[in-house]
């Protein structure tokens, strides 16, 4: 049994400008000790997917529905508020994207860290403070004891990001939702954080959903990758297969925009023309059609499902056969 199983997840926001379908029919599973990468442009539904799993979508205007959203043997959608609070931050933890707004400016860093341990593990305040200081040290914050008594505004943006990471790892969660965990960090600290996440994974079997725009991090950390576009899955595959042989035009565009250190380093980078669509007013047929170089008349008439390509991979492209031949790959 997977540790997390999500079937046909749908999240919509009912606004004055219309219904925004931020996540529309997303399904995936997560095994113990596995890392699933979620990639895509801003607005593709990655963060909303994680917030839905945590039960943090505000209602109204948000509405969360799913055929199944199970954590181990529990239905997350069926849990009471008290039951969900016991899971959230303890068994399922999240590293939030924006540390500037995720930390309470009125509480010290130490109080925000120790509260997690006191609530979920019932440890003494002294023991909670010791573990909080150790957690700050693990993420590379100097003088962790002194930092516990400081307020968020006294720390730099990168240090606040590391505080959020430490908070997410304190209870050694079964599932870690990491939303852009290393965006504000320099490369040396980034490598330290990724190594810490892998250590947690190896020691405790933690499963990780990694949301990031850094495809290099995805390639190095992920076992499988889900590519999202306009709230839907565009492609799913093992990390090695995805980078070697992408089967969706959108995935090809994302990979083509990454600078390479080999080959012709003076060549222009590829780019995806146009902009992501308005989720309240999606185009007919395939949502990626206005930006796609493989567009046909069929693409304007049909919304592509996620086709099974075999070997544990799938693609939501009606012209997947032509794309596979163009790539030189086999179905």
């Amino acid at each position: 049994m997977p540790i997390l199983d999500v079937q046909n997840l749908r999240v919509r926001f009912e606004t004055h400008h219309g219904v925004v379908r931020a996540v529309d029919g997303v399904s995936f599973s997560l095994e113990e000790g596995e890392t699933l990468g979620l990639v895509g442009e801003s607005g593709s539904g990655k963060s909303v997917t994680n917030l839905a799993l945590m039960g943090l979508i505000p209602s109204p205007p948000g509405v969360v529905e799913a055929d199944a959203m199970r954590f181990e043997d529990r239905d997350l959608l069926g849990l009471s508020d008290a039951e969900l609070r016991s899971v959230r931050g303890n068994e399922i933890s999240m590293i939030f994207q924006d540390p500037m707004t995720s930390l309470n400016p009125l509480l010290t860093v130490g109080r925000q860290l120790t509260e997690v341990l006191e609530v979920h593990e019932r440890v003494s305040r002294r023991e909670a403070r010791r573990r909080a200081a150790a957690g700050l040290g693990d993420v590379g914050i100097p003088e962790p004891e002194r930092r516990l008594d400081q307020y968020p505004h006294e720390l730099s943006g990168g240090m606040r990001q590391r505080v959020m990471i430490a908070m997410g790892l304190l209870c050694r969660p079964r599932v870690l939702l990491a939303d852009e965990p290393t965006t504000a960090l320099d490369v040396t600290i980034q490598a330290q954080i990724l190594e810490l996440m892998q250590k947690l994974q190896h020691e405790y079997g933690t499963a990780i959903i990694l949301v990031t725009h850094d495809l290099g991090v995805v390639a190095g950390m992920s076992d499988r990758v889900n590519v999202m576009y306009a709230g839907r899955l565009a492609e799913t595959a093992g990390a090695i297969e995805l980078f070697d042989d992408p089967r969706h035009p959108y995935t090809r565009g994302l990979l083509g925009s990454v600078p390479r250190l080999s080959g012709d380093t003076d060549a222009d980078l590829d780019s995806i023309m146009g902009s992501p669509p308005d989720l309240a007013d999606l185009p007919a047929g395939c949502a990626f059609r206005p930006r796609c170089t493989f567009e046909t008349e069929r693409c304007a008439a049909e919304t592509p499902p996620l086709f099974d390509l075999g070997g544990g991979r799938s693609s939501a492209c009606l012209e997947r056969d032509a794309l596979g031949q163009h790539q030189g790959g086999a179905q």
Side-chain angles (χ1 to χ4, degrees), residues 206-245:
T206 300
I208 299 174
I209 296 180
L210 178 63
V211 174
T212 180
H213 291 283
D214 191 331
L215 294 177
V217 171
V218 171
M221 283 282 292
S222 300
D223 300 297
R224 292 185 296 119
V225 182
N226 284 356
V227 181
M228 294 190 68
Y229 184 79
R232 298 176 181 173
L233 290 178
E235 183 170 359
T236 68
I240 295 175
E241 292 79 12
L242 185 95
F243 280 83
D244 283 347
D245 182 21

mmCIF file of all heavy atoms in Angstrom, residues 206-245:
data_model
loop_
_atom_site.group_PDB
_atom_site.id
_atom_site.type_symbol
_atom_site.label_atom_id
_atom_site.label_comp_id
_atom_site.label_asym_id
_atom_site.label_seq_id
_atom_site.Cartn_x
_atom_site.Cartn_y
_atom_site.Cartn_z
ATOM 1 N N THR A 206 11.114 8.621 5.164
ATOM 2 C CA THR A 206 10.244 9.747 4.811
ATOM 3 C C THR A 206 10.042 9.826 3.297
ATOM 4 O O THR A 206 10.997 9.736 2.527
ATOM 5 C CB THR A 206 10.853 11.070 5.313
ATOM 6 O OG1 THR A 206 10.986 11.009 6.733
ATOM 7 C CG2 THR A 206 9.987 12.256 4.924
ATOM 8 N N ALA A 207 8.809 9.976 2.887
ATOM 9 C CA ALA A 207 8.484 10.203 1.476
ATOM 10 C C ALA A 207 8.406 11.707 1.238
ATOM 11 O O ALA A 207 7.909 12.447 2.092
ATOM 12 C CB ALA A 207 7.162 9.537 1.119
ATOM 13 N N ILE A 208 8.893 12.165 0.098
ATOM 14 C CA ILE A 208 9.007 13.596 -0.177
ATOM 15 C C ILE A 208 8.310 13.941 -1.484
ATOM 16 O O ILE A 208 8.495 13.259 -2.495
ATOM 17 C CB ILE A 208 10.487 14.034 -0.253
ATOM 18 C CG1 ILE A 208 11.195 13.774 1.078
ATOM 19 C CG2 ILE A 208 10.602 15.507 -0.635
ATOM 20 C CD1 ILE A 208 12.690 14.049 1.026
ATOM 21 N N ILE A 209 7.496 15.000 -1.447
ATOM 22 C CA ILE A 209 7.005 15.636 -2.670
ATOM 23 C C ILE A 209 7.763 16.940 -2.811
ATOM 24 O O ILE A 209 7.646 17.835 -1.975
ATOM 25 C CB ILE A 209 5.490 15.893 -2.625
ATOM 26 C CG1 ILE A 209 4.725 14.563 -2.542
ATOM 27 C CG2 ILE A 209 5.040 16.660 -3.860
ATOM 28 C CD1 ILE A 209 3.219 14.724 -2.483
ATOM 29 N N LEU A 210 8.575 17.040 -3.852
ATOM 30 C CA LEU A 210 9.481 18.163 -4.033
ATOM 31 C C LEU A 210 8.975 19.067 -5.150
ATOM 32 O O LEU A 210 8.950 18.672 -6.320
ATOM 33 C CB LEU A 210 10.883 17.642 -4.361
ATOM 34 C CG LEU A 210 11.964 18.683 -4.643
ATOM 35 C CD1 LEU A 210 12.217 19.554 -3.409
ATOM 36 C CD2 LEU A 210 13.259 18.004 -5.088
ATOM 37 N N VAL A 211 8.561 20.270 -4.784
ATOM 38 C CA VAL A 211 8.132 21.282 -5.753
ATOM 39 C C VAL A 211 9.285 22.238 -5.980
ATOM 40 O O VAL A 211 9.802 22.838 -5.031
ATOM 41 C CB VAL A 211 6.898 22.053 -5.239
ATOM 42 C CG1 VAL A 211 6.552 23.196 -6.193
ATOM 43 C CG2 VAL A 211 5.710 21.126 -5.078
ATOM 44 N N THR A 212 9.721 22.381 -7.210
ATOM 45 C CA THR A 212 10.826 23.283 -7.497
ATOM 46 C C THR A 212 10.851 23.640 -8.975
ATOM 47 O O THR A 212 10.364 22.895 -9.821
ATOM 48 C CB THR A 212 12.171 22.648 -7.094
ATOM 49 O OG1 THR A 212 13.234 23.555 -7.396
ATOM 50 C CG2 THR A 212 12.411 21.341 -7.827
ATOM 51 N N HIS A 213 11.422 24.825 -9.266
ATOM 52 C CA HIS A 213 11.672 25.231 -10.646
ATOM 53 C C HIS A 213 13.065 24.806 -11.098
ATOM 54 O O HIS A 213 13.394 24.945 -12.278
ATOM 55 C CB HIS A 213 11.534 26.752 -10.791
ATOM 56 C CG HIS A 213 10.135 27.250 -10.624
ATOM 57 N ND1 HIS A 213 9.180 27.138 -11.615
ATOM 58 C CD2 HIS A 213 9.516 27.853 -9.588
ATOM 59 C CE1 HIS A 213 8.043 27.663 -11.195
ATOM 60 N NE2 HIS A 213 8.220 28.098 -9.970
ATOM 61 N N ASP A 214 13.881 24.326 -10.162
ATOM 62 C CA ASP A 214 15.256 23.944 -10.466
ATOM 63 C C ASP A 214 15.277 22.507 -10.968
ATOM 64 O O ASP A 214 15.214 21.557 -10.183
ATOM 65 C CB ASP A 214 16.120 24.094 -9.205
ATOM 66 C CG ASP A 214 17.606 23.972 -9.501
ATOM 67 O OD1 ASP A 214 17.962 23.268 -10.476
ATOM 68 O OD2 ASP A 214 18.405 24.560 -8.745
ATOM 69 N N LEU A 215 15.357 22.333 -12.269
ATOM 70 C CA LEU A 215 15.318 20.992 -12.841
ATOM 71 C C LEU A 215 16.565 20.192 -12.491
ATOM 72 O O LEU A 215 16.534 18.960 -12.508
ATOM 73 C CB LEU A 215 15.152 21.081 -14.358
ATOM 74 C CG LEU A 215 13.812 21.666 -14.830
ATOM 75 C CD1 LEU A 215 13.784 21.768 -16.347
ATOM 76 C CD2 LEU A 215 12.644 20.830 -14.338
ATOM 77 N N GLY A 216 17.675 20.858 -12.161
ATOM 78 C CA GLY A 216 18.854 20.150 -11.704
ATOM 79 C C GLY A 216 18.612 19.467 -10.368
ATOM 80 O O GLY A 216 19.043 18.327 -10.152
ATOM 81 N N VAL A 217 17.915 20.145 -9.472
ATOM 82 C CA VAL A 217 17.560 19.547 -8.184
ATOM 83 C C VAL A 217 16.615 18.374 -8.396
ATOM 84 O O VAL A 217 16.734 17.322 -7.757
ATOM 85 C CB VAL A 217 16.923 20.605 -7.256
ATOM 86 C CG1 VAL A 217 16.350 19.953 -6.005
ATOM 87 C CG2 VAL A 217 17.950 21.659 -6.875
ATOM 88 N N VAL A 218 15.663 18.531 -9.303
ATOM 89 C CA VAL A 218 14.728 17.445 -9.606
ATOM 90 C C VAL A 218 15.477 16.214 -10.112
ATOM 91 O O VAL A 218 15.229 15.085 -9.679
ATOM 92 C CB VAL A 218 13.684 17.901 -10.649
ATOM 93 C CG1 VAL A 218 12.840 16.726 -11.130
ATOM 94 C CG2 VAL A 218 12.781 18.967 -10.056
ATOM 95 N N ALA A 219 16.413 16.434 -11.017
ATOM 96 C CA ALA A 219 17.168 15.320 -11.589
ATOM 97 C C ALA A 219 17.987 14.601 -10.525
ATOM 98 O O ALA A 219 18.129 13.374 -10.560
ATOM 99 C CB ALA A 219 18.086 15.830 -12.704
ATOM 100 N N GLY A 220 18.530 15.356 -9.569
ATOM 101 C CA GLY A 220 19.376 14.749 -8.560
ATOM 102 C C GLY A 220 18.632 14.132 -7.399
ATOM 103 O O GLY A 220 19.163 13.233 -6.732
ATOM 104 N N MET A 221 17.398 14.587 -7.126
ATOM 105 C CA MET A 221 16.669 14.149 -5.929
ATOM 106 C C MET A 221 15.526 13.188 -6.214
ATOM 107 O O MET A 221 15.202 12.338 -5.383
ATOM 108 C CB MET A 221 16.088 15.376 -5.215
ATOM 109 C CG MET A 221 17.090 16.177 -4.407
ATOM 110 S SD MET A 221 17.470 15.426 -2.818
ATOM 111 C CE MET A 221 15.885 15.608 -1.946
ATOM 112 N N SER A 222 14.875 13.309 -7.363
ATOM 113 C CA SER A 222 13.591 12.641 -7.570
ATOM 114 C C SER A 222 13.737 11.242 -8.136
ATOM 115 O O SER A 222 14.615 10.963 -8.951
ATOM 116 C CB SER A 222 12.712 13.479 -8.513
ATOM 117 O OG SER A 222 12.468 14.754 -7.970
ATOM 118 N N ASP A 223 12.835 10.354 -7.693
ATOM 119 C CA ASP A 223 12.692 9.030 -8.298
ATOM 120 C C ASP A 223 11.728 9.113 -9.478
ATOM 121 O O ASP A 223 11.959 8.498 -10.519
ATOM 122 C CB ASP A 223 12.164 8.025 -7.268
ATOM 123 C CG ASP A 223 13.093 7.897 -6.074
ATOM 124 O OD1 ASP A 223 14.234 7.461 -6.270
ATOM 125 O OD2 ASP A 223 12.672 8.242 -4.946
ATOM 126 N N ARG A 224 10.634 9.849 -9.300
ATOM 127 C CA ARG A 224 9.654 10.056 -10.354
ATOM 128 C C ARG A 224 9.351 11.543 -10.448
ATOM 129 O O ARG A 224 9.558 12.289 -9.491
ATOM 130 C CB ARG A 224 8.358 9.285 -10.076
ATOM 131 C CG ARG A 224 8.496 7.780 -10.153
ATOM 132 C CD ARG A 224 7.149 7.073 -9.985
ATOM 133 N NE ARG A 224 6.568 7.292 -8.671
ATOM 134 C CZ ARG A 224 5.405 7.876 -8.435
ATOM 135 N NH1 ARG A 224 4.681 8.346 -9.439
ATOM 136 N NH2 ARG A 224 4.952 8.018 -7.202
ATOM 137 N N VAL A 225 8.808 11.953 -11.610
ATOM 138 C CA VAL A 225 8.507 13.363 -11.833
ATOM 139 C C VAL A 225 7.108 13.484 -12.429
ATOM 140 O O VAL A 225 6.757 12.758 -13.366
ATOM 141 C CB VAL A 225 9.530 14.023 -12.784
ATOM 142 C CG1 VAL A 225 9.206 15.507 -12.961
ATOM 143 C CG2 VAL A 225 10.953 13.855 -12.262
ATOM 144 N N ASN A 226 6.317 14.398 -11.873
ATOM 145 C CA ASN A 226 5.037 14.787 -12.453
ATOM 146 C C ASN A 226 5.173 16.200 -13.007
ATOM 147 O O ASN A 226 5.559 17.121 -12.278
ATOM 148 C CB ASN A 226 3.918 14.768 -11.406
ATOM 149 C CG ASN A 226 3.459 13.367 -11.069
ATOM 150 O OD1 ASN A 226 3.900 12.384 -11.660
ATOM 151 N ND2 ASN A 226 2.577 13.253 -10.095
ATOM 152 N N VAL A 227 4.874 16.368 -14.287
ATOM 153 C CA VAL A 227 4.912 17.687 -14.923
ATOM 154 C C VAL A 227 3.482 18.214 -14.970
ATOM 155 O O VAL A 227 2.589 17.562 -15.533
ATOM 156 C CB VAL A 227 5.496 17.606 -16.341
ATOM 157 C CG1 VAL A 227 5.551 18.995 -16.976
ATOM 158 C CG2 VAL A 227 6.890 16.977 -16.305
ATOM 159 N N MET A 228 3.252 19.397 -14.389
ATOM 160 C CA MET A 228 1.910 19.971 -14.346
ATOM 161 C C MET A 228 1.813 21.192 -15.248
ATOM 162 O O MET A 228 2.755 21.972 -15.374
ATOM 163 C CB MET A 228 1.533 20.355 -12.911
ATOM 164 C CG MET A 228 1.382 19.173 -11.975
ATOM 165 S SD MET A 228 0.658 19.642 -10.360
ATOM 166 C CE MET A 228 -1.030 20.085 -10.851
ATOM 167 N N TYR A 229 0.629 21.320 -15.874
ATOM 168 C CA TYR A 229 0.351 22.498 -16.692
ATOM 169 C C TYR A 229 -1.138 22.808 -16.583
ATOM 170 O O TYR A 229 -1.985 21.930 -16.772
ATOM 171 C CB TYR A 229 0.723 22.266 -18.156
ATOM 172 C CG TYR A 229 0.545 23.496 -19.015
ATOM 173 C CD1 TYR A 229 1.508 24.504 -18.995
ATOM 174 C CD2 TYR A 229 -0.582 23.673 -19.819
ATOM 175 C CE1 TYR A 229 1.353 25.657 -19.760
ATOM 176 C CE2 TYR A 229 -0.737 24.813 -20.585
ATOM 177 C CZ TYR A 229 0.230 25.806 -20.551
ATOM 178 O OH TYR A 229 0.076 26.951 -21.307
ATOM 179 N N ALA A 230 -1.470 24.046 -16.242
ATOM 180 C CA ALA A 230 -2.861 24.512 -16.152
ATOM 181 C C ALA A 230 -3.704 23.610 -15.256
ATOM 182 O O ALA A 230 -4.848 23.309 -15.569
ATOM 183 C CB ALA A 230 -3.482 24.619 -17.544
ATOM 184 N N GLY A 231 -3.129 23.181 -14.129
ATOM 185 C CA GLY A 231 -3.876 22.407 -13.152
ATOM 186 C C GLY A 231 -3.986 20.930 -13.442
ATOM 187 O O GLY A 231 -4.614 20.201 -12.679
ATOM 188 N N ARG A 232 -3.375 20.457 -14.538
ATOM 189 C CA ARG A 232 -3.468 19.046 -14.894
ATOM 190 C C ARG A 232 -2.075 18.454 -15.063
ATOM 191 O O ARG A 232 -1.092 19.180 -15.222
ATOM 192 C CB ARG A 232 -4.256 18.873 -16.201
ATOM 193 C CG ARG A 232 -5.690 19.349 -16.105
ATOM 194 C CD ARG A 232 -6.387 19.253 -17.447
ATOM 195 N NE ARG A 232 -7.768 19.721 -17.379
ATOM 196 C CZ ARG A 232 -8.565 19.875 -18.419
ATOM 197 N NH1 ARG A 232 -8.101 19.596 -19.634
ATOM 198 N NH2 ARG A 232 -9.799 20.298 -18.261
ATOM 199 N N LEU A 233 -2.014 17.138 -15.049
ATOM 200 C CA LEU A 233 -0.760 16.462 -15.318
ATOM 201 C C LEU A 233 -0.528 16.415 -16.822
ATOM 202 O O LEU A 233 -1.368 15.921 -17.576
ATOM 203 C CB LEU A 233 -0.778 15.042 -14.750
ATOM 204 C CG LEU A 233 -0.748 14.922 -13.219
ATOM 205 C CD1 LEU A 233 -0.815 13.459 -12.802
ATOM 206 C CD2 LEU A 233 0.488 15.583 -12.637
ATOM 207 N N ALA A 234 0.627 16.913 -17.262
ATOM 208 C CA ALA A 234 0.988 16.852 -18.672
ATOM 209 C C ALA A 234 1.790 15.590 -18.963
ATOM 210 O O ALA A 234 1.641 14.982 -20.022
ATOM 211 C CB ALA A 234 1.794 18.085 -19.069
ATOM 212 N N GLU A 235 2.632 15.197 -18.011
ATOM 213 C CA GLU A 235 3.461 14.010 -18.215
ATOM 214 C C GLU A 235 3.910 13.472 -16.869
ATOM 215 O O GLU A 235 4.156 14.235 -15.926
ATOM 216 C CB GLU A 235 4.677 14.346 -19.083
ATOM 217 C CG GLU A 235 5.549 13.139 -19.399
ATOM 218 C CD GLU A 235 6.616 13.406 -20.459
ATOM 219 O OE1 GLU A 235 6.671 14.557 -20.967
ATOM 220 O OE2 GLU A 235 7.368 12.486 -20.789
ATOM 221 N N THR A 236 4.020 12.153 -16.760
ATOM 222 C CA THR A 236 4.578 11.501 -15.589
ATOM 223 C C THR A 236 5.570 10.449 -16.065
ATOM 224 O O THR A 236 5.323 9.765 -17.059
ATOM 225 C CB THR A 236 3.494 10.830 -14.725
ATOM 226 O OG1 THR A 236 2.949 9.714 -15.439
ATOM 227 C CG2 THR A 236 2.370 11.789 -14.406
ATOM 228 N N ALA A 237 6.680 10.330 -15.348
ATOM 229 C CA ALA A 237 7.701 9.359 -15.744
ATOM 230 C C ALA A 237 8.737 9.261 -14.642
ATOM 231 O O ALA A 237 8.812 10.129 -13.753
ATOM 232 C CB ALA A 237 8.375 9.771 -17.063
ATOM 233 N N GLY A 238 9.559 8.214 -14.702
ATOM 234 C CA GLY A 238 10.738 8.159 -13.867
ATOM 235 C C GLY A 238 11.660 9.304 -14.227
ATOM 236 O O GLY A 238 11.678 9.770 -15.374
ATOM 237 N N ALA A 239 12.447 9.764 -13.259
ATOM 238 C CA ALA A 239 13.274 10.942 -13.497
ATOM 239 C C ALA A 239 14.249 10.717 -14.648
ATOM 240 O O ALA A 239 14.417 11.586 -15.513
ATOM 241 C CB ALA A 239 14.033 11.307 -12.217
ATOM 242 N N ILE A 240 14.885 9.556 -14.686
ATOM 243 C CA ILE A 240 15.865 9.286 -15.740
ATOM 244 C C ILE A 240 15.182 9.266 -17.108
ATOM 245 O O ILE A 240 15.657 9.879 -18.069
ATOM 246 C CB ILE A 240 16.583 7.944 -15.472
ATOM 247 C CG1 ILE A 240 17.417 8.035 -14.195
ATOM 248 C CG2 ILE A 240 17.466 7.562 -16.662
ATOM 249 C CD1 ILE A 240 18.060 6.726 -13.787
ATOM 250 N N GLU A 241 14.031 8.578 -17.199
ATOM 251 C CA GLU A 241 13.315 8.485 -18.471
ATOM 252 C C GLU A 241 12.826 9.856 -18.929
ATOM 253 O O GLU A 241 12.880 10.179 -20.128
ATOM 254 C CB GLU A 241 12.135 7.528 -18.348
ATOM 255 C CG GLU A 241 12.504 6.064 -18.156
ATOM 256 C CD GLU A 241 12.909 5.734 -16.736
ATOM 257 O OE1 GLU A 241 12.687 6.572 -15.838
ATOM 258 O OE2 GLU A 241 13.476 4.647 -16.523
ATOM 259 N N LEU A 242 12.355 10.663 -18.000
ATOM 260 C CA LEU A 242 11.825 11.981 -18.366
ATOM 261 C C LEU A 242 12.915 12.868 -18.952
ATOM 262 O O LEU A 242 12.709 13.540 -19.977
ATOM 263 C CB LEU A 242 11.202 12.656 -17.145
ATOM 264 C CG LEU A 242 10.518 13.994 -17.462
ATOM 265 C CD1 LEU A 242 9.031 13.760 -17.699
ATOM 266 C CD2 LEU A 242 10.710 15.001 -16.351
ATOM 267 N N PHE A 243 14.078 12.885 -18.330
ATOM 268 C CA PHE A 243 15.156 13.750 -18.807
ATOM 269 C C PHE A 243 15.787 13.211 -20.089
ATOM 270 O O PHE A 243 16.257 13.985 -20.920
ATOM 271 C CB PHE A 243 16.211 13.920 -17.716
ATOM 272 C CG PHE A 243 15.829 14.928 -16.662
ATOM 273 C CD1 PHE A 243 15.016 14.572 -15.602
ATOM 274 C CD2 PHE A 243 16.267 16.240 -16.743
ATOM 275 C CE1 PHE A 243 14.648 15.492 -14.634
ATOM 276 C CE2 PHE A 243 15.901 17.172 -15.780
ATOM 277 C CZ PHE A 243 15.087 16.801 -14.729
ATOM 278 N N ASP A 244 15.794 11.884 -20.241
ATOM 279 C CA ASP A 244 16.375 11.295 -21.450
ATOM 280 C C ASP A 244 15.455 11.405 -22.659
ATOM 281 O O ASP A 244 15.914 11.609 -23.786
ATOM 282 C CB ASP A 244 16.709 9.809 -21.217
ATOM 283 C CG ASP A 244 17.973 9.619 -20.401
ATOM 284 O OD1 ASP A 244 18.708 10.609 -20.228
ATOM 285 O OD2 ASP A 244 18.217 8.495 -19.939
ATOM 286 N N ASP A 245 14.138 11.280 -22.426
ATOM 287 C CA ASP A 245 13.212 11.173 -23.554
ATOM 288 C C ASP A 245 11.851 11.755 -23.187
ATOM 289 O O ASP A 245 10.896 11.024 -22.940
ATOM 290 C CB ASP A 245 13.070 9.693 -23.950
ATOM 291 C CG ASP A 245 12.163 9.507 -25.161
ATOM 292 O OD1 ASP A 245 11.973 10.469 -25.922
ATOM 293 O OD2 ASP A 245 11.635 8.379 -25.332
#
